[in-house]
Amino acid sequence: MKIDSYKAIELYAKRFKSDKGSEYQTIYQHTMDLLNNMEKLFEEYKEEIEEGCKRLQIDCEKLKYLLRLAIIYHDLGKANSKFQQKIREKARVHEVPQVKGLSKEVPHNFISIAFVDLEDEIEKGNIACEDFENLLFTIAFSHDRDFDVNYQYFEKYICEDVSKYIENQTLKPLLELLPSVPDRDKMVESSNYTYRVINQLRELMLKDSYDLSDKKVVFRIFLKGLLHRLDHSSSAGISTEEAKIQNFPEKVEVYLKNKGSFAGFKDFQKKAVELSEKNVVLFAPTGSGKTEFGINWAFKSKLIYTLPIRVSINAMYERLVEVFGEDKVGILHSDSMMYLLEKYMNLKHENQELEALFDSVDLAKNLSLPIIVTTGDQIFTSALKWPGFEKIYSLFLHSKIIIDEPQSYSPESLAIIIKTLEEIINLNGKFCLMSATINPLILKYLGNYAEYVQAYLDEDLKKRYSHIISIKELSILDCVDEIIGHAKQKSVLVICNTVKRSQEVYQVIKENLKRFEEIPVELLHSRFLEGQKRQKEQIVISNQRKNGIIISTQLVEASLDIDYDILFTELASADSLLQRMGRVYRKRAYNEPRPNVIILTKDPSGVGKVYQKEIVDRTEAFLKKFDGNKITEYDKKELNEYVYDIDVLSSTNFISKFKKAYELLELGFRADRKIEAQKIFRDVITISGIPREIFDKNIEEINDALKKINSRSLKSIEKLKLISFIRKYAVTAPAYFFAKGGASCYDKDLGIYILDCEYDDQLGLIPPKGLEQSDIW
């Protein structure tokens, strides 16, 4: 093909599907989007980024200069015929020059290296050899792809195809932005050198130890991470950073005043602003206002707010939206798109308004909003160094992170969190870890890096109480009559350690309630159909303080702002019990002489599987002396410290699992993919499936929806509505159902599974015999 063909062809970087068909974006347009986004990012968080670079002794101007070069170079490699053929629709392939013998595409991120010519810049001293290597590394691994071609093929690819695009008219404006325009002859002559450089960079990546005490490593992480963020957001057609919030405390104060009865921030909440440039570990009793402390501490930085459980994330998102507005707060977890879609649909929004969801979700997914509420696995898995992890770490040049309710994580997850926070410190990041139950492991590993804050002095904690406890050597199933007796006039919360036990309690209570039809009873756990579960969550949140019974699992423990009259709970670990107590008389004084927390110690479910037996035994031993007595907030603090005494627990499973995970990370363990890292972090792997009998009853509607979803002409928002419609029939189940034959795949593309289990509208999913393991939630 003549060289003129290479000059004239329009070079594309992206293809988008729209209602009108395919739309294209040129390499030049896409690159300019990145450059514009870079400008906005450094403008919006100028003060924070410059201050961060100064603290880390990083040359901010050099970072910006190299990032700009990386942006211009990163997609030049798409100027190759195989990529241009691939991106076009079949009817337009004829536009692309054909080269005999080039059957396999070489990933464009590696081809981009061939365009880099900065000899003059190095000679002038504008770029050091170390900068040059960082730049090449960033460009080469802007995507995670294999480089599995031999030198002869690579040379042919460059010489007979790629080099001819240097004279392309649509590429010309971009090449002119570079310090020196690439030369075709030089590119051809350097093909052998380029091939060797790529392989050297791959070796560097594979053996990189990521020593974050090394400023060179930190610089490369920021350079590569910022390119990832700019590329991903620009590809989604959104900004990398939306306008920041100038003063968090001011917004919170206005909101609280508008709600009424706001007498000003408490002393410890005021102190948060003074500590905004420090790492903080906050011990605060449940209901004392730690969320306000955390938000005040964020002050005006970008904020990542993490919580362990989806239902508490949804609740926190709604709470923060009330304070800051929907345009300032994003929500990010595995189900956030569907959560938002259902929320919007319930509010009767039109399709046009619903389509704004895509932007909202993209802004959250790309971490572009000033506040992101998210699950820990979205952030802390970065410590496992999956390809592209730098995108998350680069945030901490100008961001802060809150870890709320860390007690809900497994020992392995806690190790990953602590390791991530240690590394964030080296990146200028600031963290605020806050809970009513601070695990001593946190203070052991992070205490030297953080300011420890108590919401109240010990003397005040000794005066504060809202619970009188009763320890009974009975099973929770033995207390049904007592639960019903209280429920005639009070709101009763019953918490079990496993789904199976909560189902058993519900069945017995319902049987006994035949005599008291006026007492409402509700069961909530994770294994209800999605549609049902949402309704049940709202009942639990809205029906507090009314007479009746709510039976649940750990699902209601973390950060749900609920307040019931009396709690019946199975014996569990100290941190779990303390969180459960926090759902009763949360913000009220308790003046009655009778217990309002009843702890049942006989045959608690899940001990040995959900909870470590040694920890549960220590919890019971400490609590026995409080039987029939009030337990102050100081007593609760002592309970937690006693139970999790590191020296005493040194030989237990809990510490063993924590240390093993932490040591693996210290040795440089890395996950091959982000999804693998998330599985390691989450510990319990689940799938979403439709119970067989539900599927059979609704097979026509489900199949009709699937048929429409696969239609090319259907608009994206309509597809999402149909997926949401199917999901209302789905339920979450443990992944081991697959291994035991309890699940099968129905639609691989949409990830729809059929669960060979019974489903009961009252009880939820009932596992087949042989699959009844004790699971959390």
Side-chain angles (χ1 to χ4, degrees):
M1 178 126 348
K2 293 179 181 179
I3 194 72
D4 288 349
S5 303
Y6 287 90
K7 284 183 180 179
I9 183 176
E10 192 86 67
L11 293 175
Y12 297 127
K14 304 284 175 186
R15 185 173 82 180
F16 306 98
K17 287 185 178 178
S18 71
D19 299 335
K20 300 172 186 175
S22 290
E23 293 181 15
Y24 296 88
Q25 186 182 45
T26 65
I27 295 173
Y28 175 77
Q29 289 166 339
H30 176 60
T31 305
M32 292 310 295
D33 282 351
L34 266 78
L35 289 171
N36 290 334
N37 256 333
M38 175 188 162
E39 222 172 282
K40 289 177 189 172
L41 163 65
F42 280 90
E43 185 182 322
E44 201 61 53
Y45 287 96
K46 183 177 187 291
E47 186 184 329
E48 288 83 356
I49 291 172
E50 287 180 354
E51 182 60 33
C53 285
K54 187 178 175 183
R55 285 178 187 162
L56 294 169
Q57 298 176 335
I58 282 174
D59 186 333
C60 190
E61 289 307 310
K62 182 171 280 187
L63 178 64
K64 287 162 71 174
Y65 178 63
L66 290 175
L67 180 58
R68 188 172 183 276
L69 287 179
I71 288 168
I72 297 168
Y73 281 120
H74 89 288
D75 263 2
L76 290 181
K78 289 181 177 177
N80 77 81
S81 297
K82 296 308 292 181
F83 181 87
Q84 293 301 317
Q85 284 172 16
K86 180 180 72 176
I87 202 169
R88 281 164 164 75
E89 289 183 320
K90 287 180 182 178
R92 295 186 57 187
V93 168
H94 68 277
E95 299 171 354
V96 183
Q98 304 295 311
V99 183
K100 286 183 180 179
L102 295 185
S103 56
K104 180 180 181 180
E105 182 189 352
V106 179
H108 75 266
N109 44 302
F110 298 121
I111 294 295
S112 295
I113 297 294
F115 286 85
V116 180
D117 179 7
L118 294 170
E119 279 183 27
D120 290 347
E121 289 296 281
I122 294 170
E123 283 178 17
K124 289 175 188 173
N126 293 337
I127 295 180
C129 290
E130 178 188 294
D131 301 326
F132 185 60
E133 186 181 84
N134 279 337
L135 179 65
L136 293 180
F137 186 92
T138 296
I139 297 164
F141 302 108
S142 55
H143 298 281
D144 175 33
R145 297 198 177 111
D146 291 330
F147 184 67
D148 55 356
V149 295
N150 60 40
Y151 167 64
Q152 288 77 17
Y153 188 84
F154 183 78
E155 183 185 37
K156 183 178 175 68
Y157 209 92
I158 298 294
C159 299
E160 297 185 24
D161 187 51
V162 177
S163 64
K164 296 176 183 177
Y165 282 103
I166 280 184
E167 297 179 29
N168 181 274
Q169 292 304 302
T170 63
L171 213 58
K172 191 177 177 182
L174 203 53
L175 298 180
E176 288 174 349
L177 295 174
L178 293 165
S180 47
V181 178
D183 177 85
R184 186 186 170 197
D185 291 337
K186 195 181 278 190
M187 182 186 279
V188 169
E189 287 168 18
S190 303
S191 58
N192 182 33
Y193 166 76
T194 305
Y195 185 81
R196 281 188 287 110
V197 164
I198 292 167
N199 281 303
Q200 285 165 8
L201 290 169
R202 287 176 70 237
E203 284 177 26
L204 174 64
M205 187 196 70
L206 292 169
K207 71 180 182 183
D208 201 330
S209 62
Y210 294 105
D211 177 7
L212 296 189
S213 63
D214 185 341
K215 298 302 174 193
K216 297 172 190 173
V217 174
V218 171
F219 188 95
R220 187 166 69 240
I221 283 173
F222 286 145
L223 185 63
K224 187 169 180 286
L226 287 168
L227 179 62
H228 284 309
R229 288 198 67 215
L230 290 162
D231 193 16
H232 295 171
S233 55
S234 300
S235 295
I238 57 173
S239 61
T240 306
E241 286 294 358
E242 291 285 282
K244 67 188 285 191
I245 297 167
Q246 294 296 336
N247 191 315
F248 283 69
E250 192 177 84
K251 297 275 186 188
V252 176
E253 189 170 357
V254 168
Y255 169 74
L256 292 173
K257 280 179 177 175
N258 288 339
K259 278 189 77 176
S261 68
F262 177 63
F265 288 120
K266 297 173 184 175
D267 288 344
F268 82 99
Q269 292 168 338
K270 291 176 188 173
K271 192 178 180 183
V273 177
E274 298 170 28
L275 297 170
S276 64
E277 289 307 309
K278 294 188 176 181
N279 299 312
V280 176
V281 174
L282 171 70
F283 165 70
T286 50
S288 60
K290 62 181 170 60
T291 302
E292 286 77 11
F293 174 95
I295 293 170
N296 285 356
W297 168 82
F299 192 49
K300 60 178 180 177
S301 296
K302 184 181 182 71
L303 175 62
I304 314 292
Y305 197 120
T306 68
L307 281 156
I309 302 170
R310 193 177 67 184
V311 63
S312 55
I313 289 170
N314 294 347
M316 183 60 71
Y317 166 75
E318 291 180 13
R319 188 173 170 187
L320 293 177
V321 162
E322 282 185 27
V323 180
F324 299 102
E326 283 184 345
D327 61 328
K328 297 294 183 187
V329 186
I331 181 170
L332 183 61
H333 56 64
S334 59
D335 205 33
S336 49
M337 183 66 187
M338 289 301 152
Y339 158 73
L340 288 171
L341 180 66
E342 287 164 18
K343 177 181 163 72
Y344 274 62
M345 283 169 65
N346 288 339
L347 296 172
K348 308 295 182 192
H349 283 267
E350 297 296 323
N351 267 10
Q352 193 174 357
E353 294 173 289
L354 287 172
E355 282 171 4
L357 272 179
F358 290 108
D359 284 344
S360 173
V361 171
D362 279 339
L363 286 166
K365 194 165 63 177
N366 287 283
L367 306 159
S368 301
L369 292 158
I371 301 176
I372 303 287
V373 190
T374 182
T375 43
D377 64 307
Q378 299 289 339
I379 303 299
F380 299 117
T381 54
S382 305
L384 280 76
K385 307 298 186 296
W386 41 267
F389 79 95
E390 297 95 337
K391 174 182 177 179
I392 303 298
Y393 272 19
S394 70
L395 281 167
F396 295 104
L397 186 57
H398 64 288
S399 305
K400 293 178 179 174
I401 186 165
I402 288 175
I403 307 94
D404 198 353
E405 309 293 3
Q407 76 287 337
S408 298
Y409 294 104
S410 69
E412 294 91 341
S413 298
L414 186 59
I416 293 170
I417 290 170
I418 287 173
K419 183 62 181 171
T420 309
L421 294 179
E422 287 175 340
E423 297 197 336
I424 282 173
I425 292 163
N426 285 317
L427 298 168
N428 183 58
K430 297 287 181 289
F431 68 81
C432 174
L433 195 148
M434 50 195 203
S435 178
T437 53
I438 302 294
N439 190 308
L441 278 169
I442 289 166
L443 295 176
K444 178 182 177 180
Y445 282 85
L446 298 172
N448 291 335
Y449 306 110
E451 184 108 4
Y452 177 75
V453 177
Q454 279 194 189
Y456 304 99
L457 296 172
D458 283 350
E459 289 308 309
D460 293 326
L461 292 175
K462 288 173 183 176
K463 298 171 191 171
R464 293 172 65 89
Y465 82 95
S466 46
H467 304 116
I468 294 175
I469 67 173
S470 171
I471 311 290
K472 296 189 175 183
E473 291 184 21
L474 297 170
S475 159
I476 201 159
L477 290 162
D478 297 330
C479 297
V480 168
D481 288 342
E482 190 180 351
I483 290 168
I484 291 171
H486 282 291
K488 291 174 185 176
Q489 295 180 321
K490 294 180 179 180
S491 60
V492 182
L493 182 61
V494 179
I495 302 183
C496 304
N497 295 344
T498 62
V499 171
K500 185 183 174 188
R501 180 58 55 86
S502 71
Q503 291 171 328
E504 291 168 348
V505 171
Y506 177 82
Q507 283 178 300
V508 176
I509 285 178
K510 283 295 280 184
E511 182 62 33
N512 282 267
L513 272 177
K514 287 178 179 175
R515 292 168 291 154
F516 305 103
E517 294 294 338
E518 74 281 5
I519 298 176
V521 60
E522 195 72 48
L523 173 64
L524 170 65
H525 54 68
S526 65
R527 296 194 200 151
F528 279 99
L529 300 182
E530 288 294 331
Q532 263 190 299
K533 190 161 64 177
R534 296 274 186 271
Q535 293 169 358
K536 286 174 174 288
E537 286 169 0
Q538 285 309 308
I539 289 169
V540 170
I541 291 167
S542 60
N543 276 27
Q544 50 193 314
R545 310 280 290 277
K546 296 178 184 176
N547 83 296
I549 304 167
I550 297 290
I551 303 159
S552 191
T553 58
Q554 296 89 334
L555 201 62
V556 299
E557 279 181 17
S559 283
L560 272 192
D561 195 7
I562 55 175
D563 187 2
Y564 283 77
D565 292 330
I566 188 165
L567 169 70
F568 285 79
T569 175
E570 290 191 281
L571 178 67
S573 64
D575 51 346
S576 212
L577 284 180
L578 291 174
Q579 290 299 325
R580 294 176 190 188
M581 289 183 203
R583 311 305 127 190
V584 171
Y585 273 83
R586 184 174 174 82
K587 294 179 180 177
R588 297 176 281 163
Y590 188 62
N591 299 315
E592 295 184 33
R594 290 173 295 182
N596 61 350
V597 173
I598 293 88
I599 300 170
L600 294 316
T601 63
K602 182 183 173 185
D603 187 30
S605 61
V607 176
K609 292 181 178 177
V610 179
Y611 299 107
Q612 303 286 324
K613 188 176 185 306
E614 305 97 329
I615 289 171
V616 173
D617 288 345
R618 287 178 65 77
T619 301
E620 182 179 7
F622 186 94
L623 284 174
K624 275 184 175 176
K625 61 185 174 186
F626 292 95
D627 184 25
N629 297 309
K630 66 183 181 184
I631 183 166
T632 67
E633 295 301 330
Y634 183 79
D635 296 326
K636 292 177 184 178
K637 178 188 168 190
E638 284 205 314
L639 163 64
N640 193 61
E641 289 171 355
Y642 168 82
V643 169
Y644 286 100
D645 185 307
I646 297 170
D647 294 331
V648 176
L649 293 178
S650 59
S651 60
T652 64
N653 243 354
F654 185 92
I655 297 293
S656 172
K657 286 181 177 181
F658 173 88
K659 283 185 174 177
K660 186 179 177 182
Y662 185 83
E663 285 163 9
L664 270 174
L665 290 168
E666 285 279 89
L667 290 168
F669 175 82
R670 291 159 70 177
D672 290 335
R673 294 285 183 275
K674 184 178 180 181
I675 193 166
E676 178 196 337
Q678 288 174 319
K679 285 177 181 176
I680 293 167
F681 185 86
R682 287 176 188 154
D683 197 29
V684 178
I685 309 302
T686 59
I687 58 169
S688 183
I690 303 172
R692 173 70 63 186
E693 60 184 283
I694 300 292
F695 180 81
D696 290 343
K697 279 179 192 173
N698 301 281
I699 189 166
E700 285 186 20
E701 287 180 310
I702 292 169
N703 281 333
D704 185 50
L706 285 171
K707 199 180 208 179
K708 289 177 182 173
I709 287 168
N710 292 321
S711 164
R712 288 187 176 183
S713 60
L714 197 66
K715 288 184 178 180
S716 298
I717 195 68
E718 295 300 335
K719 283 189 180 183
L720 275 174
K721 283 184 177 180
L722 288 168
I723 292 170
S724 176
F725 166 77
I726 292 172
R727 276 171 48 83
K728 74 179 183 183
Y729 298 121
V731 62
T732 301
Y736 65 69
F737 272 36
F738 267 127
K740 301 287 185 180
S744 55
C745 188
Y746 185 74
D747 189 305
K748 190 176 180 181
D749 291 337
L750 289 174
I752 295 174
Y753 303 97
I754 306 299
L755 304 175
D756 291 314
C757 315
E758 286 181 49
Y759 186 83
D760 185 287
D761 279 341
Q762 300 293 313
L763 299 173
L765 191 71
I766 301 169
K769 288 180 181 178
L771 286 176
E772 296 176 345
Q773 294 189 11
S774 295
D775 295 290
I776 201 162
W777 316 144

